[in-house]
Amino acid sequence: MRSWHERLLGDLSGSLRRLAFLPEAWRYRIVSTALGRQSRYFRTHRLRIVDIAPGRISIGAANHRGLRNRAGALHAMAASVAGEYAAALVVAQHLPRGARLLVKSVHADFRAPLRGDVQAQACIDPAQIGAALAGADGRLRVAMKVIDATGKAPVRGHVDVVWSSPPSTQETAP
């Protein structure tokens, strides 16, 4: 028996449709809680979903003590983890129910120190959405950026995401 968070994340687009009657903040809180139950780093980094739209997701990371580097700013790797989650979720929201998703690689360019709280954003274009919807198995390169409190994007990069179709449950005759 799968738990509630596995069911919610296993069919993210369907879950978002079923939760559409709730206020936006509640929906984001429910999905953030489910993701935190599924992934230790999402929970321990205290990441939260800020915005979900078709083909676009934003995840926020607060500049709290556990994520700061020696200079007192948010650590760049913590910000890139938020970007990784955003890229994976933007693909997951367009995959068929039960598809398995895996992040293969993350490439991030750190251009300047981060200032204050950050927001990681990932988006895919309609052609990439079509590839995710059509293919049983596939691979996408998703662009991500991390915007800090000054409005600049000191972290930019891409995430390679692969997925496979759910296993077939055909029964064989004896």
Side-chain angles (χ1 to χ4, degrees):
M1 181 83 161
R2 291 182 354 163
S3 61
W4 69 272
H5 55 87
E6 290 172 332
R7 286 192 312 266
L8 189 137
L9 295 173
D11 182 21
L12 186 59
S13 61
S15 298
L16 290 172
R17 278 192 305 275
R18 287 188 296 277
L19 295 173
F21 70 95
L22 292 172
E24 194 173 81
W26 290 12
R27 281 182 294 200
Y28 298 162
R29 181 86 177 227
I30 290 169
V31 175
S32 291
T33 302
L35 195 55
R37 297 273 312 238
Q38 191 81 12
S39 173
R40 175 184 315 156
Y41 295 115
F42 196 88
R43 182 178 61 245
T44 59
H45 282 50
R46 295 186 227 159
L47 302 177
R48 68 196 182 292
I49 295 175
V50 177
D51 183 39
I52 297 176
R56 185 176 41 112
I57 290 196
S58 296
I59 294 181
N63 185 8
H64 60 84
R65 194 175 107 191
L67 295 182
R68 288 189 191 128
N69 58 17
R70 294 182 196 189
L74 186 72
H75 199 284
M77 286 308 293
S80 68
V81 167
E84 176 185 349
Y85 278 109
L89 282 175
V90 78
V91 173
Q93 74 175 338
H94 299 291
L95 292 180
R97 182 182 191 146
R100 301 212 181 252
L101 179 96
L102 180 67
V103 173
K104 290 296 275 186
S105 67
V106 178
H107 176 83
D109 293 325
F110 308 113
R111 299 167 189 214
L114 296 162
R115 307 265 187 248
D117 295 349
V118 299
Q119 200 174 96
Q121 298 177 347
C123 59
I124 56 178
D125 59 26
Q128 290 175 312
I129 291 173
L133 289 171
D137 297 342
R139 179 184 192 111
L140 281 179
R141 178 166 281 180
V142 181
M144 67 95 171
K145 64 182 175 181
V146 178
I147 299 171
D148 64 4
T150 64
K152 296 180 182 171
V155 179
R156 291 182 182 268
H158 63 267
V159 179
D160 289 328
V161 180
V162 297
W163 67 90
S164 62
S165 61
S168 177
T169 58
Q170 295 177 348
E171 294 184 26
T172 56

